[in-house]
Amino acid sequence: GAVVSQHPSWVICKSGTSVKIECRSLDFQATTMFWYRQFPKQSLMLMATSNEGSKATYEQGVEKDKFLINHASLTLSTLTVTSAHPEDSSFYICSARVMTGGYEQYFGPGTRLTVT
Amino acid sequence: KNEVEQSPQNLTAQEGEFITINCSYSVGISALHWLQQHPGGGIVSLFMLSSGKKKHGRLIATINIQEKHSSLHITASHPRDSAVYICAVKTSGSRLTFGEGTQLTVNP
């Protein structure tokens, strides 16, 4: 099946710093990528939808200036958490939708962010 | 009431048992996903369904569009099947709406 990778798999950073998370579709092209956040014992929450070459669409309540999303190519999207705070500590998951055929969506392994 | 409801929330089984996890939804959908999330968090897409039934190894997924219901079955369960199983429905546009997940524990 299609593979989506994320890097890093985990990161610890200090409050006030910025962290970039990469999401890559390894063996397919994805016009649309999704970024989710998951808190412990909770389901995935959609943060934003990004389409290649255009600005991301953010869900209500998600600060676009804090969570910068760039989808520069058909195989790469990045999420940058700017001026991170401890409450940003979470599990961030990306997902990519196949460009052709149906609308299969494949998930990355996730990135565990801890802000100290 | 959530748009996507799963049952049970927690399920403990003995190795070899047949397992069923249910998903009911209240909105119109174009597709339904079953996902598996292991401890550590990584998510694997098991099935995408829009009608009927799909089988992959020991896993079977069914959907009844009229009744707005889907089931995930695991035959001959094994401890390595222990994970959270998540039902997600595709509604308007690209959005997926997720169920709360079912924590499955299979004991040896």
Side-chain angles (χ1 to χ4, degrees):
Chain A
V3 177
V4 176
S5 71
Q6 278 185 243
H7 177 79
S9 55
W10 60 270
V11 56
I12 301 172
C13 70
K14 292 184 183 296
S15 286
T17 61
S18 295
V19 174
K20 180 186 282 189
I21 302 170
E22 291 187 350
C23 175
R24 294 181 185 273
S25 57
L26 296 186
D27 51 0
F28 66 98
Q29 292 183 323
T31 49
T32 304
M33 288 188 173
F34 307 89
W35 287 96
Y36 298 90
R37 182 164 57 181
Q38 186 182 35
F39 292 106
K41 303 291 186 184
Q42 295 187 22
S43 193
L44 282 74
M45 298 281 296
L46 180 65
M47 298 176 66
T49 302
S50 76
N51 292 296
E52 184 263 339
S54 60
K55 289 184 179 179
T57 302
Y58 290 81
E59 294 299 300
Q60 192 171 12
V62 178
E63 300 174 58
K64 63 180 180 181
D65 294 330
K66 181 168 184 61
F67 298 100
L68 301 178
I69 291 172
N70 182 277
H71 191 164
S73 77
L74 288 171
T75 59
L76 173 64
S77 177
T78 60
L79 167 68
T80 301
V81 183
T82 62
S83 187
H85 287 113
E87 57 265 31
D88 298 326
S89 298
S90 188
F91 191 60
Y92 292 87
I93 303 166
C94 77
S95 176
R97 191 167 74 174
V98 177
M99 184 176 173
T100 57
Y103 31 74
E104 296 238 20
Q105 199 169 317
Y106 298 95
F107 290 81
T111 296
R112 175 81 56 196
L113 170 64
T114 302
V115 184
T116 61
Chain B
K1 191 177 189 293
N2 294 334
E3 291 180 331
V4 181
E5 301 227 335
Q6 288 184 234
S7 63
Q9 285 187 315
N10 294 283
L11 179 57
T12 300
Q14 288 300 121
E15 183 172 357
E17 286 185 359
F18 180 84
I19 287 162
T20 296
I21 300 171
N22 296 298
C23 175
S24 296
Y25 52 92
S26 56
V27 294
I29 70 169
S30 54
L32 181 145
H33 292 253
W34 280 103
L35 310 171
Q36 179 191 56
Q37 186 172 32
H38 278 282
I43 289 181
V44 174
S45 181
L46 298 175
F47 294 104
M48 187 185 76
L49 294 164
S50 53
S51 65
K53 176 180 175 179
K54 285 189 177 181
K55 184 176 189 293
H56 182 69
R58 296 180 293 108
L59 302 178
I60 303 166
T62 64
I63 187 168
N64 185 317
I65 297 293
Q66 286 73 32
E67 294 187 3
K68 296 187 175 176
H69 181 269
S70 176
S71 293
L72 176 68
H73 306 286
I74 304 175
T75 61
S77 60
H78 191 276
R80 64 176 175 266
D81 296 327
S82 298
V84 175
Y85 291 83
I86 302 168
C87 169
V89 299
K90 185 175 183 294
T91 54
S92 60
S94 306
R95 176 183 294 274
L96 284 181
T97 302
F98 296 86
E100 301 264 335
T102 295
Q103 173 70 61
L104 171 65
T105 303
V106 181
N107 294 318

